[in-house]
Amino acid sequence: MHPLLCALAFSHPGGHAPTAGNPMGGMPGQRVEVTIEPQRIVVDYYAELAAIRVLKDARAAGVESRAWAPQQAEALRSGVRVRAGETEVALTAMPVEAAATLREGALVEFRLSAAAPLPVDPGALTVRLDNFPDEPCYYAASVDVSGEFVVVTTNLARVHDGALRDNHHGAWRRNDGGRKVEFTLRPTRWWESRAAGPLPERLEGLVGWDVARVAGAAGVAVILSVVAVAAGWRVRRRPAR
């Protein structure tokens, strides 16, 4: 039997009931971590299932192979989708350290990772989770954004009067709207900070100034002004012929 199955066999059978260690009460939990790099998007997907459920499914399938855990994880891959505007983005699988891990609270965490080149003008991006379509689930999503981009709009948070509102970034939600992570990107303007960070820090209206760039531009403007004044003074001082 796979080592994970052995561990599951000795897991607390109450994994299907709500407890302090398993507040999901046996419902699937789907979590996605999105990383926006200068030229690609990386999606790390995690599915958390009650250990007792996983054990029952494995026993019903009569699985004894060490390939069981990776196969179960791979079965979830098609349920993680990315769109750029209306165009489906083809994701390429990336290796992970462990495809399935037994976690505290009698949960089994499956993990997948994938990446795709970022469109030249990424615009509106959507990450959708289509696994467990007929079941209520818990959802959580987080996005890390390269300093090359600013997030204009997103369904994870908003900015109003210079303050962050309705921030769901990284929070668990029992809401089917959590199946989709939506955000629209634009290039960072020359005066805006290019420090990479989590989505709330890269939201339009919250991104700070690039002090070095602004100070440099101001210094150049002062120098040009001084040169212009000096040139004008010399012209005025030039004797008439």
Side-chain angles (χ1 to χ4, degrees):
M1 180 178 283
H2 190 283
L4 179 61
L5 293 187
C6 292
L8 294 180
F10 292 98
S11 296
H12 193 285
H16 63 286
T19 66
N22 180 17
M24 294 179 184
M27 285 192 296
Q30 299 189 68
R31 178 167 59 91
V32 64
E33 296 177 357
V34 182
T35 304
I36 302 298
E37 298 179 353
Q39 296 182 337
R40 71 171 185 169
I41 177 172
V42 179
V43 179
D44 289 300
Y45 170 78
Y46 303 83
E48 298 182 356
L49 301 178
I52 192 67
R53 168 178 173 168
V54 176
L55 179 60
K56 286 180 178 178
D57 290 346
R59 283 177 171 170
V63 177
E64 293 287 341
S65 170
R66 285 181 173 271
W68 173 80
Q71 288 174 359
Q72 293 303 304
E74 282 300 316
L76 300 172
R77 190 175 293 280
S78 62
V80 182
R81 303 167 61 189
V82 175
R83 281 180 171 267
E86 296 301 317
T87 304
E88 193 86 11
V89 175
L91 294 169
T92 300
M94 296 175 62
V96 295
E97 185 175 345
T101 308
L102 183 62
R103 296 296 188 189
E104 186 177 353
L107 293 173
V108 177
E109 179 184 84
F110 294 97
R111 181 183 177 185
L112 297 169
S113 186
L118 203 61
V120 175
D121 182 14
L125 294 172
T126 302
V127 179
R128 182 172 178 87
L129 310 178
D130 288 339
N131 290 315
F132 315 108
D134 301 321
E135 298 183 55
C137 297
Y138 280 91
Y139 306 94
S142 60
V143 184
D144 282 326
V145 184
S146 162
E148 300 293 320
F149 301 103
V150 170
V151 180
V152 181
T153 59
T154 177
N155 65 341
L156 293 180
R158 65 186 180 91
V159 177
H160 181 69
D161 292 337
L164 183 63
R165 313 283 186 182
D166 302 329
N167 183 18
H168 301 298
H169 187 265
W172 285 102
R173 292 182 288 166
R174 186 180 173 182
N175 181 322
D176 208 47
R179 285 188 178 274
K180 289 197 300 184
V181 184
E182 300 173 315
F183 49 97
T184 303
L185 302 174
R186 66 161 172 81
T188 301
R189 298 183 177 119
W190 70 266
W191 65 84
E192 295 174 320
S193 170
R194 291 178 178 267
L199 180 146
E201 295 179 9
R202 298 300 302 171
L203 274 171
E204 187 170 59
L206 296 182
V207 176
W209 286 20
D210 188 322
V211 177
R213 284 174 179 256
V214 173
V220 170
V222 169
I223 292 172
L224 292 177
S225 297
V226 170
V227 170
V229 170
W233 181 81
R234 286 180 180 177
V235 170
R236 289 194 299 272
R237 291 281 295 174
R238 183 178 302 167
R241 295 180 179 178

